[in-house]
């Protein structure tokens, strides 16, 4: 068995353990294999093993990999998206996890409208108010989503967050808990066109904690494909 495949087995096993620990059905949790910087052969292996959801953070990389795999993979845009690049991926991705400004939401809506499609998105929330991270602040999320909900070619499906890198993943538990709280709050407001079925949180370092706190999508790269080498 290749490393990638045994790694996937291990991650799926951990998802089961974390879900079971808190009485959740593991089937509620989708594994997004984060394939950024990784070659086509690695993705092929994961795909061959049944992983059909892949996360990328660069528009060019989605375009290149889309040429190879097309719709055999559900592509998830998980990185900061510049408005001028929306047009290149709007009809290629399953879900945009990183809506973090009204300007971006409007652009996605406009491009989706041109193509006659409706795009599912998540709103990225910056819980820890880290300067280094994009995302809407907690106290602004509800107003933001109310505005986005008026756009006809976008559907808000939930929230996404990137927790800080910490040595002990327990430190991120309050962040994940906060996101779940906001989700419940938004659900109770019954905003038109808005559902809160997806909570995208948890990465290699902290996905088990995120699942314990309600995550429905974990974005895992390193634990599946190994360390990324950014120097090419
Ligand atoms: C790179 C990345 C991940 C995966 O990180 P790992 O620590 O390698 O699992 C998840 N989410 C986002 C937004 C990323 O950019």
């Amino acid at each position: 068995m290749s490393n990638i495949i045994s790694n996937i087995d291990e991650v799926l096993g951990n998802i089961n353990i974390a879900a079971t620990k808190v009485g959740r059905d593991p089937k509620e949790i989708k594994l997004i294999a984060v394939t950024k910087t990784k070659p086509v052969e690695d993705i092929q292996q994961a795909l061959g093993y049944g992983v059909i959801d892949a996360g990328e953070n660069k528009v060019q990389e989605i375009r290149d990999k889309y040429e190879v795999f097309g719709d055999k993979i559900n592509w998830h845009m998980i990185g900061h998206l510049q408005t001028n690049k929306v047009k290149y991926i709007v009809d290629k991705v399953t879900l945009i996890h990183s809506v973090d400004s009204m300007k971006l939401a409007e652009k996605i809506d406009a491009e989706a409208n041109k193509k006659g499609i409706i795009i599912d998105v998540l709103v990225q929330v910056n819980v820890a108010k880290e300067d280094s991270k994009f995302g809407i602040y907690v106290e602004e999320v509800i107003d933001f989503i109310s505005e986005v909900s008026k756009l006809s070619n976008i559907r808000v499906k939930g929230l996404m967050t990137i927790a800080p890198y910490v040595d002990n993943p327990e430190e991120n538990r309050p962040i994940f808990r906060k996101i779940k709280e906001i989700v419940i709050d938004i659900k109770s407001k019954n905003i038109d066109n808005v559902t809160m079925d997806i909570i995208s949180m948890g990465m290699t370092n902290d996905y088990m904690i995120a699942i314990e706190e309600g995550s429905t999508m974990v974005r895992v790269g390193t634990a599946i494909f190994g360390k990324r080498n950014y120097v090419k």
Side-chain angles (χ1 to χ4, degrees):
M1 208 161 43
S2 85
N3 274 341
I4 290 174
I5 288 174
S6 58
N7 289 345
I8 292 170
D9 267 343
E10 191 177 333
V11 171
L12 291 173
N14 285 338
I15 290 173
N16 265 284
I17 291 169
T20 309
K21 183 174 167 192
V22 294
R24 296 184 61 197
D25 180 354
K27 290 195 211 72
E28 290 172 12
I29 298 135
K30 187 175 276 182
L31 171 62
I32 314 294
V34 176
T35 49
K36 63 190 188 196
T37 80
K38 294 297 173 183
V40 161
E41 301 77 63
D42 286 10
I43 304 173
Q44 194 71 58
Q45 280 194 54
L47 181 61
Y49 202 57
V51 174
I52 55 163
D53 287 274
E56 289 282 346
N57 66 346
K58 293 223 158 63
V59 165
Q60 189 57 48
E61 219 170 322
I62 292 182
R63 294 176 80 187
D64 292 346
K65 288 171 178 170
Y66 189 87
E67 292 243 318
V68 180
F69 296 101
D71 292 328
K72 273 189 267 178
I73 284 184
N74 299 325
W75 299 100
H76 295 253
M77 178 57 188
I78 61 175
H80 179 62
L81 181 54
Q82 288 170 288
T83 51
N84 61 334
K85 294 188 176 162
V86 170
K87 58 176 177 285
Y88 299 119
I89 57 156
V90 78
D91 55 351
K92 298 183 177 64
V93 295
T94 299
L95 184 66
I96 298 173
H97 292 227
S98 45
V99 171
D100 57 6
S101 73
M102 205 53 213
K103 194 171 142 235
L104 176 60
E106 282 165 354
K107 187 68 184 177
I108 295 169
D109 182 61
E111 292 297 336
N113 188 272
K114 274 188 207 166
K115 297 199 159 87
I117 52 181
I118 290 174
I119 300 294
D120 291 344
V121 304
L122 306 179
V123 170
Q124 183 172 348
V125 183
N126 184 350
V127 180
K129 289 200 172 159
E130 287 180 285
D131 287 340
S132 60
K133 297 223 166 76
F134 293 98
I136 307 292
Y137 290 158
V138 169
E139 57 273 24
E140 293 161 1
V141 172
I142 290 182
D143 285 348
F144 180 76
I145 289 181
S146 304
E147 280 306 302
V148 176
S149 74
K150 294 173 191 158
L151 302 171
S152 49
N153 290 68
I154 278 198
R155 290 287 177 275
V156 176
K157 296 286 182 184
L159 303 182
M160 178 271 227
T161 199
I162 305 173
Y165 186 84
V166 288
D167 286 329
N168 178 1
E170 275 296 335
E171 289 174 44
N172 283 336
R173 191 183 289 279
I175 290 181
F176 300 139
R177 198 167 278 178
K178 187 74 206 174
I179 294 286
K180 177 74 187 195
E181 262 175 50
I182 307 170
V183 160
I184 291 169
D185 196 19
I186 296 171
K187 270 188 183 160
S188 75
K189 301 222 158 21
N190 289 315
I191 305 170
D192 277 350
N193 297 322
V194 173
T195 52
M196 283 284 130
D197 298 330
I198 302 178
I199 307 181
S200 169
M201 59 187 189
M203 304 169 37
T204 290
N205 196 39
D206 55 19
Y207 65 95
M208 293 182 78
I209 305 287
I211 290 168
E212 287 176 27
E213 296 302 330
S215 173
T216 71
M217 272 188 189
V218 290
R219 310 177 307 266
V220 179
T222 309
I224 295 175
F225 300 106
K227 281 207 166 67
R228 286 176 292 274
N229 183 3
Y230 286 100
V231 201
K232 287 241 174 89

